[in-house]
Amino acid sequence: MAFPSGRHFLQIPGPTNVPDRVLRAIDRPTIDHRGPEFAKLGKEVLSGLQRIFRTKQPVIIYPASGTGAWEAALANTLSAGDRVLMFETGHFATLWLEMAQRLGLEADFVPGDWRHGVDPKVVEDKLRADSQHKVRAVCVVHNETSTGVTTRVAEVRAAIDRVGHPALLLVDTISSLASIDYRHDDWKVDVTVAGSQKGLMLPPGLSFNAISQKALAASRDAGLRRSYWDWGAMLRANESGFFPYTPATNLLYGLREALAMLEEEGLENVFRRHTRHGEATRRAVRAWGLEVNCADEREHSPSLTGIRIPAGHDADKLRSVILDRFDMSLGQGLGKLKGKIFRIGHLGAFNDLTLCGTLAGVEMGLALAGVPHRQGGVTAALEHLAATVDATQK
C-alpha cells in the first residue's frame, strides 16, 4: 500500500507513540535558557523526575540517548582497570559490556540464554568469592528491551547486602522507567540509567542518571576522563535550574507535560495498566500456540513481549508482511535473536483499544505470512481485558 490511510501503528518497544499533549507542549517558542522562565522549567522537571525515579537524591538530565546515560554512569564512578560484574541478559546488556571494555574497565561477564534475567544467587556467589572486593560495580538491565525479560532488582540488591559487598549497583531502566514499578531509593540503587523515548512518552533525545550519595562519593575519586558527562558541573548548575551547556529546551517542555500526565494517572495506575496489557498480550500469544521468549513467570516484562517464531519461519518476514498490509511496525529480533522473535511494545501512551488493534494486526499477519498458529489470540486478550477493566483504577 503506497499511501496507507489512518494512523501508523508504532508498536515497537521504543521510541513509543508521543501523545498529542506532549507534541503540543514541544511545539512552543524556544526561550532563553539562561533566563528566569527557564530556571522555573528546569526546577520543575528535575523535581518531577525525582518522583518518577522514587528518589530524594539528584537526577541529572543529558541531551543524549540512553547510551549517553550508560557512559555517564560508568565514567563518573569508575577508573580504568576497575572490575565490573555484568550479565548477558540480552542485546543491550551486551552493548553496555562493550562500552565498559572500550572505557578500559575489566568486565566479569556472566553468560546467559537471553530468556532469563539476572540470577540473584549468581550475584551473591560471585561477590562472596570476591573477598578482596575487586568488583567495583554490579551492572544490570532492569528490563531487557531485546528479550522482554525483567531482572528482579530488589532481589539483586538483597543478594549484595547479604554478602556485605561494597560494590556499586548500576541499573538500566531505559524500557522500564514509568512503565514498571521501580524504586531507586528503596532498592538502594547507586546509579539508575534511563531515556526519554519509552515510558516517558517523549521523542528520543533526553537521558537521565539518578544518583545515590554513595555514587557521588565514588565520583570524587573516579579516574575515567569525563567532560560532557561530568556530574559535578551538572549538579552545580542544576541548583539554580540551569545547565552547564545548552539544554534541549523544547524536549524539556515535553518532559514537563509527560510528567504531568503520569502524575494525573497516578504511578500505581500506570504500573497496573502496563501489567494488565502485558498479561493480555501473553494470553494472546499462548492462544495462538506460540511461545513467549521469557522463560521465567516471575520475569515477564509488563512493557513489551518477545514472541518466538516456529522453526523454519522468519520473524522479519512476518514483520514485513504486517507493515506492508496493515501499516504497523513491530520490534525485530536483535543480535542472536534476529529472525527468531518479534517484539510487541505495549508501553507509554497505550490503551485497551490500541492493544486490541495491535493483536488483531498480528493475528491477521500470522495467517498471511503462513506462520503455523491457532485462531483465538485476540479473543483471549479481549476476555482478559474485559474481566480486568476496573483493575487500572484502584
Side-chain angles (χ1 to χ4, degrees), residues 98-149:
E98 293 174 0
M99 174 184 284
Q101 292 172 329
R102 287 196 297 271
L103 291 173
L105 301 173
E106 179 186 334
D108 180 357
F109 193 52
V110 178
D113 63 0
W114 294 40
R115 302 194 69 181
H116 295 83
V118 175
D119 185 342
K121 181 64 165 58
V122 174
V123 175
E124 182 173 350
D125 291 345
K126 285 278 188 180
L127 295 183
R128 193 178 300 280
D130 180 33
S131 58
Q132 295 183 350
H133 294 168
K134 290 185 178 180
V135 174
R136 298 297 302 276
V138 177
C139 303
V140 302
V141 176
H142 181 214
N143 188 72
E144 180 48 79
T145 318
S146 67
T147 65
V149 178

Side-chain angles (χ1 to χ4, degrees), residues 9-13 17 328-331 343-345 350 354 358:
F9 260 54
L10 181 69
Q11 302 314 141
I12 62 175
N17 297 286
M328 180 167 72
S329 294
L330 298 172
R343 297 171 296 145
I344 297 174
F350 196 86
T354 311
T358 300

Side-chain angles (χ1 to χ4, degrees), residues 257-268:
E257 192 67 23
L259 294 172
M261 292 177 67
L262 290 167
E263 295 196 336
E264 287 166 15
E265 184 175 358
L267 268 185
E268 293 300 331

